[in-house]
Amino acid sequence: EAQVTQNPRYLITVTGKKLTVTCSQNMNHEYMSWYRQDPGLGLRQIYYSMNVEVTDKGDVPEGYKVSRKEKRNFPLILESPSPNQTSLYFCASRMKGGLTRQPQHFGDGTRLSIL
Amino acid sequence: DAKTTQPTSMDCAEGRAANLPCNHSTISGNEYVYWYRQIHSQGPQYIIHGLKNNETNEMASLIITEDRKSSTLILPHATLRDTAVYYCIVSPDNYGQNFVFGPGTRLSVLP
């Protein structure tokens, strides 16, 4: 089954303790991205990657890092989490090519709470 | 990027057609209209997209006005499982393009 898998689905942690949210897709997609969703603000893109070893900042990259060493994986790293990063996070992927040819596939989300 | 305006919320009776409007009066000639939906806090799900012609797939129909300044998503026979937030997005068809999700319309399908 084609899917985007995020782990963990839920995490409560404390300020300053480094954490990584993993994202893996099994569709051989070139494009992957991370979004965060906050009440009243919709989904905002954090980082995206157009291929292996190619990453770029989205609209709200501060406080986050990503890496793309393999095509299928795109982890989101919070080196020193803070309470304002408490949010619902989504990973998405799609194939190379225009948006009209390849809709984005989203994971089921990771709910992070930073105390 | 062009902005979209959608009603905050709508109700629809189960079994009836749900018509969700979207205004995008500043849309550019190379921008498409996309619709996604998000059920509860799951990941957004693609529904349909179009440029200027009306489109239909197994989930919905998309009607775009001739001047392309507005569109309507139609769910022909709404079910309770169609209760969700529906997002109308306009964007060019570029590989690197980022989607901008606004607040969307919260559709409640009532029994």
Side-chain angles (χ1 to χ4, degrees), chain A residues 30-31 35 37 42-43 45 50 59 90 94-101 103-104 106-108 111, chain B residues 32 34 36 38 41-46 49 87 91-103:
Chain A
E30 285 83 5
Y31 186 100
Y35 292 83
Q37 185 172 29
L43 280 88
Q45 194 181 53
M50 294 175 71
D59 298 319
F90 290 103
R94 62 184 174 87
M95 286 182 67
K96 189 175 184 177
L99 289 162
T100 59
R101 287 179 281 280
Q104 291 198 82
F106 284 82
D108 287 332
R111 190 170 292 280
Chain B
Y32 288 72
Y34 304 84
Y36 278 70
Q38 186 175 23
S41 293
Q42 297 176 21
Q45 176 190 24
Y46 167 80
H49 72 267
Y87 299 99
S91 181
D93 181 23
N94 299 328
Y95 175 44
Q97 187 64 39
N98 168 33
F99 273 155
V100 177
F101 287 81

mmCIF file of all heavy atoms in Angstrom, chain A residues 30-31 35 37 42-43 45 50 59 90 94-101 103-104 106-108 111, chain B residues 32 34 36 38 41-46 49 87 91-103:
data_model
loop_
_atom_site.group_PDB
_atom_site.id
_atom_site.type_symbol
_atom_site.label_atom_id
_atom_site.label_comp_id
_atom_site.label_asym_id
_atom_site.label_seq_id
_atom_site.Cartn_x
_atom_site.Cartn_y
_atom_site.Cartn_z
ATOM 1 N N GLU A 30 10.235 11.843 -5.450
ATOM 2 C CA GLU A 30 11.394 12.720 -5.357
ATOM 3 C C GLU A 30 11.165 13.839 -4.339
ATOM 4 O O GLU A 30 12.054 14.224 -3.604
ATOM 5 C CB GLU A 30 11.698 13.363 -6.726
ATOM 6 C CG GLU A 30 12.349 12.439 -7.742
ATOM 7 C CD GLU A 30 11.346 11.574 -8.489
ATOM 8 O OE1 GLU A 30 10.123 11.745 -8.288
ATOM 9 O OE2 GLU A 30 11.780 10.721 -9.286
ATOM 10 N N TYR A 31 9.963 14.393 -4.318
ATOM 11 C CA TYR A 31 9.665 15.581 -3.525
ATOM 12 C C TYR A 31 9.091 15.190 -2.178
ATOM 13 O O TYR A 31 8.138 14.420 -2.109
ATOM 14 C CB TYR A 31 8.671 16.458 -4.291
ATOM 15 C CG TYR A 31 8.358 17.797 -3.669
ATOM 16 C CD1 TYR A 31 8.969 18.960 -4.119
ATOM 17 C CD2 TYR A 31 7.409 17.913 -2.649
ATOM 18 C CE1 TYR A 31 8.665 20.200 -3.573
ATOM 19 C CE2 TYR A 31 7.103 19.138 -2.097
ATOM 20 C CZ TYR A 31 7.720 20.276 -2.560
ATOM 21 O OH TYR A 31 7.419 21.501 -2.016
ATOM 22 N N TYR A 35 5.233 20.097 7.042
ATOM 23 C CA TYR A 35 4.338 21.181 7.390
ATOM 24 C C TYR A 35 4.060 21.125 8.894
ATOM 25 O O TYR A 35 4.108 20.066 9.508
ATOM 26 C CB TYR A 35 2.982 21.036 6.677
ATOM 27 C CG TYR A 35 2.992 21.211 5.187
ATOM 28 C CD1 TYR A 35 3.343 20.162 4.339
ATOM 29 C CD2 TYR A 35 2.623 22.423 4.609
ATOM 30 C CE1 TYR A 35 3.327 20.320 2.956
ATOM 31 C CE2 TYR A 35 2.598 22.588 3.235
ATOM 32 C CZ TYR A 35 2.943 21.525 2.422
ATOM 33 O OH TYR A 35 2.923 21.688 1.059
ATOM 34 N N GLN A 37 0.868 22.496 11.539
ATOM 35 C CA GLN A 37 -0.496 23.010 11.533
ATOM 36 C C GLN A 37 -0.855 23.496 12.915
ATOM 37 O O GLN A 37 -0.796 22.748 13.888
ATOM 38 C CB GLN A 37 -1.483 21.931 11.093
ATOM 39 C CG GLN A 37 -2.908 22.452 10.957
ATOM 40 C CD GLN A 37 -3.831 21.429 10.337
ATOM 41 O OE1 GLN A 37 -3.639 20.230 10.461
ATOM 42 N NE2 GLN A 37 -4.848 21.910 9.643
ATOM 43 N N GLY A 42 -3.666 27.441 9.626
ATOM 44 C CA GLY A 42 -3.590 26.508 8.511
ATOM 45 C C GLY A 42 -2.296 25.713 8.532
ATOM 46 O O GLY A 42 -1.602 25.639 9.544
ATOM 47 N N LEU A 43 -1.951 25.125 7.396
ATOM 48 C CA LEU A 43 -0.704 24.367 7.272
ATOM 49 C C LEU A 43 0.367 25.285 6.713
ATOM 50 O O LEU A 43 0.156 25.956 5.692
ATOM 51 C CB LEU A 43 -0.874 23.172 6.334
ATOM 52 C CG LEU A 43 -1.537 21.937 6.911
ATOM 53 C CD1 LEU A 43 -3.044 22.029 6.758
ATOM 54 C CD2 LEU A 43 -1.008 20.696 6.237
ATOM 55 N N GLN A 45 4.489 25.449 5.507
ATOM 56 C CA GLN A 45 5.603 24.589 5.129
ATOM 57 C C GLN A 45 6.854 24.966 5.905
ATOM 58 O O GLN A 45 7.229 26.136 5.988
ATOM 59 C CB GLN A 45 5.867 24.682 3.627
ATOM 60 C CG GLN A 45 6.780 23.575 3.126
ATOM 61 C CD GLN A 45 7.070 23.671 1.650
ATOM 62 O OE1 GLN A 45 7.508 24.724 1.174
ATOM 63 N NE2 GLN A 45 6.824 22.604 0.913
ATOM 64 N N MET A 50 13.627 18.507 -2.950
ATOM 65 C CA MET A 50 13.250 18.138 -4.309
ATOM 66 C C MET A 50 13.968 16.876 -4.783
ATOM 67 O O MET A 50 13.633 16.335 -5.841
ATOM 68 C CB MET A 50 13.502 19.305 -5.258
ATOM 69 C CG MET A 50 12.595 20.490 -4.944
ATOM 70 S SD MET A 50 12.918 21.966 -5.912
ATOM 71 C CE MET A 50 12.323 21.484 -7.516
ATOM 72 N N ASP A 59 8.321 28.246 4.634
ATOM 73 C CA ASP A 59 7.878 29.517 5.190
ATOM 74 C C ASP A 59 8.258 29.714 6.652
ATOM 75 O O ASP A 59 8.413 30.837 7.115
ATOM 76 C CB ASP A 59 6.355 29.632 5.045
ATOM 77 C CG ASP A 59 5.929 29.606 3.598
ATOM 78 O OD1 ASP A 59 6.615 30.246 2.774
ATOM 79 O OD2 ASP A 59 4.920 28.950 3.276
ATOM 80 N N PHE A 90 2.979 17.447 9.721
ATOM 81 C CA PHE A 90 2.685 16.539 8.620
ATOM 82 C C PHE A 90 3.853 16.479 7.665
ATOM 83 O O PHE A 90 4.430 17.492 7.300
ATOM 84 C CB PHE A 90 1.448 16.998 7.841
ATOM 85 C CG PHE A 90 0.172 16.846 8.597
ATOM 86 C CD1 PHE A 90 -0.436 17.949 9.182
ATOM 87 C CD2 PHE A 90 -0.431 15.612 8.711
ATOM 88 C CE1 PHE A 90 -1.622 17.813 9.878
ATOM 89 C CE2 PHE A 90 -1.629 15.464 9.410
ATOM 90 C CZ PHE A 90 -2.213 16.568 9.989
ATOM 91 N N ARG A 94 5.525 13.672 -3.082
ATOM 92 C CA ARG A 94 4.936 13.507 -4.407
ATOM 93 C C ARG A 94 6.045 13.260 -5.407
ATOM 94 O O ARG A 94 7.210 13.508 -5.130
ATOM 95 C CB ARG A 94 4.108 14.724 -4.819
ATOM 96 C CG ARG A 94 4.861 16.013 -4.936
ATOM 97 C CD ARG A 94 3.885 17.143 -5.258
ATOM 98 N NE ARG A 94 4.523 18.441 -5.237
ATOM 99 C CZ ARG A 94 5.129 18.991 -6.270
ATOM 100 N NH1 ARG A 94 5.201 18.358 -7.413
ATOM 101 N NH2 ARG A 94 5.661 20.195 -6.160
ATOM 102 N N MET A 95 5.641 12.820 -6.606
ATOM 103 C CA MET A 95 6.635 12.539 -7.635
ATOM 104 C C MET A 95 7.146 13.825 -8.256
ATOM 105 O O MET A 95 6.531 14.886 -8.134
ATOM 106 C CB MET A 95 6.035 11.647 -8.718
ATOM 107 C CG MET A 95 5.858 10.204 -8.287
ATOM 108 S SD MET A 95 5.195 9.182 -9.603
ATOM 109 C CE MET A 95 6.568 9.210 -10.761
ATOM 110 N N LYS A 96 8.235 13.707 -8.932
ATOM 111 C CA LYS A 96 8.784 14.831 -9.693
ATOM 112 C C LYS A 96 7.785 15.221 -10.757
ATOM 113 O O LYS A 96 7.078 14.390 -11.313
ATOM 114 C CB LYS A 96 10.099 14.407 -10.331
ATOM 115 C CG LYS A 96 10.877 15.528 -10.972
ATOM 116 C CD LYS A 96 12.216 14.997 -11.472
ATOM 117 C CE LYS A 96 13.064 16.119 -12.026
ATOM 118 N NZ LYS A 96 14.395 15.622 -12.456
ATOM 119 N N GLY A 97 7.723 16.522 -11.028
ATOM 120 C CA GLY A 97 6.793 16.994 -12.031
ATOM 121 C C GLY A 97 5.856 18.004 -11.439
ATOM 122 O O GLY A 97 5.840 18.232 -10.239
ATOM 123 N N GLY A 98 5.064 18.636 -12.277
ATOM 124 C CA GLY A 98 4.151 19.659 -11.808
ATOM 125 C C GLY A 98 3.117 19.112 -10.853
ATOM 126 O O GLY A 98 2.811 17.930 -10.817
ATOM 127 N N LEU A 99 2.542 20.031 -10.099
ATOM 128 C CA LEU A 99 1.561 19.656 -9.087
ATOM 129 C C LEU A 99 0.327 19.023 -9.715
ATOM 130 O O LEU A 99 -0.347 18.211 -9.099
ATOM 131 C CB LEU A 99 1.162 20.882 -8.281
ATOM 132 C CG LEU A 99 2.245 21.420 -7.334
ATOM 133 C CD1 LEU A 99 1.919 22.845 -6.932
ATOM 134 C CD2 LEU A 99 2.362 20.544 -6.117
ATOM 135 N N THR A 100 0.014 19.406 -10.933
ATOM 136 C CA THR A 100 -1.202 18.880 -11.545
ATOM 137 C C THR A 100 -1.060 17.410 -11.902
ATOM 138 O O THR A 100 -2.047 16.700 -11.993
ATOM 139 C CB THR A 100 -1.549 19.642 -12.822
ATOM 140 O OG1 THR A 100 -0.454 19.535 -13.735
ATOM 141 C CG2 THR A 100 -1.824 21.100 -12.530
ATOM 142 N N ARG A 101 0.143 16.974 -12.103
ATOM 143 C CA ARG A 101 0.323 15.577 -12.488
ATOM 144 C C ARG A 101 0.447 14.678 -11.281
ATOM 145 O O ARG A 101 0.170 13.498 -11.328
ATOM 146 C CB ARG A 101 1.558 15.439 -13.374
ATOM 147 C CG ARG A 101 1.354 15.987 -14.769
ATOM 148 C CD ARG A 101 2.598 15.857 -15.629
ATOM 149 N NE ARG A 101 3.561 16.894 -15.333
ATOM 150 C CZ ARG A 101 3.462 18.136 -15.805
ATOM 151 N NH1 ARG A 101 2.458 18.489 -16.556
ATOM 152 N NH2 ARG A 101 4.388 19.030 -15.501
ATOM 153 N N PRO A 103 -0.528 14.726 -7.291
ATOM 154 C CA PRO A 103 -0.979 15.323 -6.026
ATOM 155 C C PRO A 103 -0.109 14.878 -4.874
ATOM 156 O O PRO A 103 0.514 13.827 -4.928
ATOM 157 C CB PRO A 103 -2.400 14.781 -5.889
ATOM 158 C CG PRO A 103 -2.431 13.552 -6.712
ATOM 159 C CD PRO A 103 -1.504 13.801 -7.860
ATOM 160 N N GLN A 104 -0.071 15.694 -3.845
ATOM 161 C CA GLN A 104 0.721 15.354 -2.675
ATOM 162 C C GLN A 104 0.035 14.274 -1.842
ATOM 163 O O GLN A 104 -1.179 14.240 -1.731
ATOM 164 C CB GLN A 104 0.928 16.596 -1.799
ATOM 165 C CG GLN A 104 1.819 17.645 -2.414
ATOM 166 C CD GLN A 104 2.354 18.618 -1.393
ATOM 167 O OE1 GLN A 104 3.324 18.346 -0.716
ATOM 168 N NE2 GLN A 104 1.690 19.751 -1.275
ATOM 169 N N PHE A 106 -0.032 12.838 2.012
ATOM 170 C CA PHE A 106 0.324 13.257 3.358
ATOM 171 C C PHE A 106 0.352 12.079 4.328
ATOM 172 O O PHE A 106 -0.422 11.123 4.175
ATOM 173 C CB PHE A 106 -0.690 14.287 3.877
ATOM 174 C CG PHE A 106 -0.528 15.653 3.297
ATOM 175 C CD1 PHE A 106 -1.060 15.974 2.059
ATOM 176 C CD2 PHE A 106 0.167 16.641 3.998
ATOM 177 C CE1 PHE A 106 -0.916 17.239 1.516
ATOM 178 C CE2 PHE A 106 0.315 17.909 3.464
ATOM 179 C CZ PHE A 106 -0.224 18.207 2.232
ATOM 180 N N GLY A 107 1.236 12.180 5.323
ATOM 181 C CA GLY A 107 1.219 11.229 6.420
ATOM 182 C C GLY A 107 0.069 11.529 7.369
ATOM 183 O O GLY A 107 -0.669 12.505 7.177
ATOM 184 N N ASP A 108 -0.057 10.721 8.410
ATOM 185 C CA ASP A 108 -1.168 10.860 9.348
ATOM 186 C C ASP A 108 -0.904 11.873 10.452
ATOM 187 O O ASP A 108 -1.779 12.108 11.287
ATOM 188 C CB ASP A 108 -1.511 9.510 9.968
ATOM 189 C CG ASP A 108 -2.204 8.593 8.980
ATOM 190 O OD1 ASP A 108 -2.878 9.126 8.068
ATOM 191 O OD2 ASP A 108 -2.071 7.368 9.105
ATOM 192 N N ARG A 111 1.764 14.608 16.587
ATOM 193 C CA ARG A 111 1.393 15.672 17.519
ATOM 194 C C ARG A 111 2.488 15.812 18.569
ATOM 195 O O ARG A 111 2.713 14.900 19.351
ATOM 196 C CB ARG A 111 0.054 15.371 18.175
ATOM 197 C CG ARG A 111 -0.487 16.544 18.970
ATOM 198 C CD ARG A 111 -1.916 16.331 19.408
ATOM 199 N NE ARG A 111 -2.876 16.329 18.327
ATOM 200 C CZ ARG A 111 -3.367 17.412 17.733
ATOM 201 N NH1 ARG A 111 -2.964 18.615 18.129
ATOM 202 N NH2 ARG A 111 -4.256 17.306 16.779
ATOM 203 N N TYR B 32 -3.432 26.931 -11.220
ATOM 204 C CA TYR B 32 -4.487 25.945 -11.163
ATOM 205 C C TYR B 32 -5.259 26.103 -9.858
ATOM 206 O O TYR B 32 -4.747 26.651 -8.877
ATOM 207 C CB TYR B 32 -3.916 24.527 -11.228
ATOM 208 C CG TYR B 32 -3.392 24.138 -12.584
ATOM 209 C CD1 TYR B 32 -2.217 24.675 -13.085
ATOM 210 C CD2 TYR B 32 -4.073 23.214 -13.366
ATOM 211 C CE1 TYR B 32 -1.733 24.307 -14.328
ATOM 212 C CE2 TYR B 32 -3.602 22.831 -14.607
ATOM 213 C CZ TYR B 32 -2.434 23.388 -15.083
ATOM 214 O OH TYR B 32 -1.973 23.020 -16.315
ATOM 215 N N TYR B 34 -6.836 23.843 -6.871
ATOM 216 C CA TYR B 34 -6.765 22.518 -6.264
ATOM 217 C C TYR B 34 -7.703 22.482 -5.065
ATOM 218 O O TYR B 34 -7.870 23.473 -4.366
ATOM 219 C CB TYR B 34 -5.357 22.216 -5.744
ATOM 220 C CG TYR B 34 -4.253 22.318 -6.755
ATOM 221 C CD1 TYR B 34 -3.672 23.544 -7.055
ATOM 222 C CD2 TYR B 34 -3.768 21.188 -7.385
ATOM 223 C CE1 TYR B 34 -2.648 23.648 -7.970
ATOM 224 C CE2 TYR B 34 -2.734 21.274 -8.304
ATOM 225 C CZ TYR B 34 -2.181 22.504 -8.596
ATOM 226 O OH TYR B 34 -1.165 22.588 -9.510
ATOM 227 N N TYR B 36 -8.307 20.127 -1.566
ATOM 228 C CA TYR B 36 -7.927 19.072 -0.631
ATOM 229 C C TYR B 36 -8.921 19.102 0.523
ATOM 230 O O TYR B 36 -9.610 20.096 0.743
ATOM 231 C CB TYR B 36 -6.522 19.303 -0.065
ATOM 232 C CG TYR B 36 -5.390 18.850 -0.949
ATOM 233 C CD1 TYR B 36 -5.099 19.515 -2.126
ATOM 234 C CD2 TYR B 36 -4.610 17.754 -0.597
ATOM 235 C CE1 TYR B 36 -4.053 19.088 -2.935
ATOM 236 C CE2 TYR B 36 -3.563 17.326 -1.397
ATOM 237 C CZ TYR B 36 -3.295 18.005 -2.568
ATOM 238 O OH TYR B 36 -2.257 17.572 -3.362
ATOM 239 N N GLN B 38 -9.381 17.708 4.825
ATOM 240 C CA GLN B 38 -8.735 17.156 5.999
ATOM 241 C C GLN B 38 -9.817 16.695 6.965
ATOM 242 O O GLN B 38 -10.610 17.521 7.451
ATOM 243 C CB GLN B 38 -7.828 18.196 6.658
ATOM 244 C CG GLN B 38 -7.006 17.647 7.805
ATOM 245 C CD GLN B 38 -6.029 18.670 8.350
ATOM 246 O OE1 GLN B 38 -6.214 19.870 8.194
ATOM 247 N NE2 GLN B 38 -4.970 18.198 8.983
ATOM 248 N N SER B 41 -8.028 15.393 12.317
ATOM 249 C CA SER B 41 -6.621 15.809 12.316
ATOM 250 C C SER B 41 -5.759 14.876 11.481
ATOM 251 O O SER B 41 -4.549 14.787 11.693
ATOM 252 C CB SER B 41 -6.096 15.871 13.750
ATOM 253 O OG SER B 41 -6.727 16.893 14.459
ATOM 254 N N GLN B 42 -6.383 14.212 10.498
ATOM 255 C CA GLN B 42 -5.600 13.376 9.598
ATOM 256 C C GLN B 42 -4.866 14.240 8.586
ATOM 257 O O GLN B 42 -5.118 15.442 8.476
ATOM 258 C CB GLN B 42 -6.521 12.401 8.866
ATOM 259 C CG GLN B 42 -7.241 11.422 9.770
ATOM 260 C CD GLN B 42 -8.210 10.570 8.986
ATOM 261 O OE1 GLN B 42 -8.091 10.431 7.761
ATOM 262 N NE2 GLN B 42 -9.173 9.986 9.668
ATOM 263 N N GLY B 43 -3.981 13.637 7.810
ATOM 264 C CA GLY B 43 -3.294 14.364 6.761
ATOM 265 C C GLY B 43 -4.259 14.784 5.666
ATOM 266 O O GLY B 43 -5.210 14.065 5.360
ATOM 267 N N PRO B 44 -4.047 15.945 5.060
ATOM 268 C CA PRO B 44 -4.919 16.382 3.972
ATOM 269 C C PRO B 44 -4.952 15.372 2.830
ATOM 270 O O PRO B 44 -3.957 14.703 2.545
ATOM 271 C CB PRO B 44 -4.268 17.702 3.525
ATOM 272 C CG PRO B 44 -3.550 18.193 4.740
ATOM 273 C CD PRO B 44 -3.052 16.961 5.420
ATOM 274 N N GLN B 45 -6.096 15.292 2.190
ATOM 275 C CA GLN B 45 -6.334 14.326 1.120
ATOM 276 C C GLN B 45 -6.685 15.075 -0.158
ATOM 277 O O GLN B 45 -7.549 15.956 -0.158
ATOM 278 C CB GLN B 45 -7.483 13.404 1.522
ATOM 279 C CG GLN B 45 -7.922 12.406 0.469
ATOM 280 C CD GLN B 45 -9.218 11.710 0.854
ATOM 281 O OE1 GLN B 45 -10.015 12.224 1.638
ATOM 282 N NE2 GLN B 45 -9.434 10.534 0.300
ATOM 283 N N TYR B 46 -6.019 14.730 -1.246
ATOM 284 C CA TYR B 46 -6.299 15.351 -2.535
ATOM 285 C C TYR B 46 -7.699 14.991 -3.023
ATOM 286 O O TYR B 46 -8.124 13.835 -2.891
ATOM 287 C CB TYR B 46 -5.262 14.889 -3.561
ATOM 288 C CG TYR B 46 -5.607 15.198 -5.004
ATOM 289 C CD1 TYR B 46 -5.401 16.469 -5.536
ATOM 290 C CD2 TYR B 46 -6.144 14.217 -5.830
ATOM 291 C CE1 TYR B 46 -5.712 16.748 -6.856
ATOM 292 C CE2 TYR B 46 -6.461 14.486 -7.141
ATOM 293 C CZ TYR B 46 -6.237 15.746 -7.657
ATOM 294 O OH TYR B 46 -6.545 16.023 -8.954
ATOM 295 N N HIS B 49 -8.446 18.854 -9.135
ATOM 296 C CA HIS B 49 -7.856 20.121 -9.544
ATOM 297 C C HIS B 49 -8.319 20.468 -10.951
ATOM 298 O O HIS B 49 -8.808 19.589 -11.687
ATOM 299 C CB HIS B 49 -6.326 20.069 -9.478
ATOM 300 C CG HIS B 49 -5.694 19.237 -10.553
ATOM 301 N ND1 HIS B 49 -5.399 17.905 -10.367
ATOM 302 C CD2 HIS B 49 -5.309 19.549 -11.802
ATOM 303 C CE1 HIS B 49 -4.856 17.427 -11.479
ATOM 304 N NE2 HIS B 49 -4.787 18.398 -12.376
ATOM 305 N N TYR B 87 -10.116 22.607 1.683
ATOM 306 C CA TYR B 87 -9.197 23.677 1.326
ATOM 307 C C TYR B 87 -9.203 23.911 -0.185
ATOM 308 O O TYR B 87 -9.029 22.971 -0.958
ATOM 309 C CB TYR B 87 -7.767 23.321 1.739
ATOM 310 C CG TYR B 87 -7.569 23.106 3.213
ATOM 311 C CD1 TYR B 87 -7.539 21.826 3.741
ATOM 312 C CD2 TYR B 87 -7.387 24.185 4.076
ATOM 313 C CE1 TYR B 87 -7.341 21.614 5.095
ATOM 314 C CE2 TYR B 87 -7.189 23.987 5.435
ATOM 315 C CZ TYR B 87 -7.172 22.703 5.929
ATOM 316 O OH TYR B 87 -6.980 22.503 7.264
ATOM 317 N N SER B 91 -2.376 27.647 -7.300
ATOM 318 C CA SER B 91 -0.930 27.540 -7.383
ATOM 319 C C SER B 91 -0.502 27.254 -8.807
ATOM 320 O O SER B 91 -1.208 26.573 -9.548
ATOM 321 C CB SER B 91 -0.451 26.411 -6.469
ATOM 322 O OG SER B 91 0.952 26.287 -6.496
ATOM 323 N N PRO B 92 0.674 27.761 -9.206
ATOM 324 C CA PRO B 92 1.209 27.375 -10.511
ATOM 325 C C PRO B 92 1.580 25.895 -10.530
ATOM 326 O O PRO B 92 1.731 25.267 -9.481
ATOM 327 C CB PRO B 92 2.472 28.245 -10.653
ATOM 328 C CG PRO B 92 2.402 29.254 -9.592
ATOM 329 C CD PRO B 92 1.543 28.706 -8.504
ATOM 330 N N ASP B 93 1.725 25.375 -11.707
ATOM 331 C CA ASP B 93 2.085 23.979 -11.875
ATOM 332 C C ASP B 93 3.598 23.836 -11.970
ATOM 333 O O ASP B 93 4.132 23.446 -12.988
ATOM 334 C CB ASP B 93 1.404 23.431 -13.134
ATOM 335 C CG ASP B 93 1.713 21.969 -13.368
ATOM 336 O OD1 ASP B 93 2.058 21.272 -12.403
ATOM 337 O OD2 ASP B 93 1.614 21.533 -14.533
ATOM 338 N N ASN B 94 4.281 24.190 -10.882
ATOM 339 C CA ASN B 94 5.737 24.092 -10.849
ATOM 340 C C ASN B 94 6.178 23.011 -9.891
ATOM 341 O O ASN B 94 5.595 22.855 -8.823
ATOM 342 C CB ASN B 94 6.357 25.418 -10.396
ATOM 343 C CG ASN B 94 6.009 26.554 -11.333
ATOM 344 O OD1 ASN B 94 5.856 26.362 -12.526
ATOM 345 N ND2 ASN B 94 5.854 27.751 -10.784
ATOM 346 N N TYR B 95 7.212 22.313 -10.223
ATOM 347 C CA TYR B 95 7.671 21.207 -9.387
ATOM 348 C C TYR B 95 8.009 21.668 -7.982
ATOM 349 O O TYR B 95 7.677 21.045 -7.007
ATOM 350 C CB TYR B 95 8.870 20.521 -10.031
ATOM 351 C CG TYR B 95 9.479 19.436 -9.176
ATOM 352 C CD1 TYR B 95 8.682 18.521 -8.504
ATOM 353 C CD2 TYR B 95 10.841 19.332 -9.041
ATOM 354 C CE1 TYR B 95 9.236 17.537 -7.714
ATOM 355 C CE2 TYR B 95 11.405 18.342 -8.265
ATOM 356 C CZ TYR B 95 10.602 17.444 -7.610
ATOM 357 O OH TYR B 95 11.153 16.461 -6.831
ATOM 358 N N GLY B 96 8.687 22.788 -7.862
ATOM 359 C CA GLY B 96 9.118 23.239 -6.545
ATOM 360 C C GLY B 96 8.077 24.032 -5.788
ATOM 361 O O GLY B 96 8.329 24.511 -4.686
ATOM 362 N N GLN B 97 6.883 24.146 -6.363
ATOM 363 C CA GLN B 97 5.895 25.033 -5.766
ATOM 364 C C GLN B 97 5.374 24.491 -4.443
ATOM 365 O O GLN B 97 5.073 23.313 -4.311
ATOM 366 C CB GLN B 97 4.713 25.206 -6.726
ATOM 367 C CG GLN B 97 3.708 26.247 -6.279
ATOM 368 C CD GLN B 97 4.298 27.645 -6.236
ATOM 369 O OE1 GLN B 97 5.086 28.024 -7.101
ATOM 370 N NE2 GLN B 97 3.948 28.411 -5.233
ATOM 371 N N ASN B 98 5.256 25.387 -3.491
ATOM 372 C CA ASN B 98 4.711 25.042 -2.194
ATOM 373 C C ASN B 98 3.231 25.384 -2.159
ATOM 374 O O ASN B 98 2.824 26.432 -2.617
ATOM 375 C CB ASN B 98 5.446 25.846 -1.114
ATOM 376 C CG ASN B 98 4.769 25.775 0.236
ATOM 377 O OD1 ASN B 98 4.181 24.759 0.585
ATOM 378 N ND2 ASN B 98 4.830 26.857 0.978
ATOM 379 N N PHE B 99 2.448 24.484 -1.624
ATOM 380 C CA PHE B 99 1.036 24.777 -1.397
ATOM 381 C C PHE B 99 0.883 25.673 -0.178
ATOM 382 O O PHE B 99 1.551 25.463 0.825
ATOM 383 C CB PHE B 99 0.254 23.505 -1.129
ATOM 384 C CG PHE B 99 -0.249 22.817 -2.349
ATOM 385 C CD1 PHE B 99 -0.500 21.463 -2.341
ATOM 386 C CD2 PHE B 99 -0.514 23.509 -3.513
ATOM 387 C CE1 PHE B 99 -0.978 20.809 -3.458
ATOM 388 C CE2 PHE B 99 -0.989 22.874 -4.637
ATOM 389 C CZ PHE B 99 -1.220 21.516 -4.610
ATOM 390 N N VAL B 100 -0.016 26.644 -0.275
ATOM 391 C CA VAL B 100 -0.363 27.469 0.873
ATOM 392 C C VAL B 100 -1.793 27.122 1.275
ATOM 393 O O VAL B 100 -2.733 27.392 0.524
ATOM 394 C CB VAL B 100 -0.241 28.971 0.543
ATOM 395 C CG1 VAL B 100 -0.674 29.799 1.743
ATOM 396 C CG2 VAL B 100 1.190 29.310 0.142
ATOM 397 N N PHE B 101 -1.935 26.518 2.413
ATOM 398 C CA PHE B 101 -3.249 26.120 2.896
ATOM 399 C C PHE B 101 -3.820 27.227 3.777
ATOM 400 O O PHE B 101 -3.241 27.562 4.792
ATOM 401 C CB PHE B 101 -3.157 24.845 3.735
ATOM 402 C CG PHE B 101 -2.905 23.591 2.953
ATOM 403 C CD1 PHE B 101 -1.625 23.254 2.543
ATOM 404 C CD2 PHE B 101 -3.953 22.739 2.644
ATOM 405 C CE1 PHE B 101 -1.386 22.100 1.831
ATOM 406 C CE2 PHE B 101 -3.723 21.566 1.932
ATOM 407 C CZ PHE B 101 -2.434 21.241 1.523
ATOM 408 N N GLY B 102 -4.962 27.767 3.396
ATOM 409 C CA GLY B 102 -5.657 28.739 4.228
ATOM 410 C C GLY B 102 -6.495 28.031 5.275
ATOM 411 O O GLY B 102 -6.312 26.845 5.521
ATOM 412 N N PRO B 103 -7.412 28.729 5.911
ATOM 413 C CA PRO B 103 -8.243 28.120 6.962
ATOM 414 C C PRO B 103 -9.295 27.157 6.439
ATOM 415 O O PRO B 103 -9.778 26.309 7.182
ATOM 416 C CB PRO B 103 -8.892 29.318 7.658
ATOM 417 C CG PRO B 103 -8.795 30.414 6.669
ATOM 418 C CD PRO B 103 -7.595 30.174 5.827
#
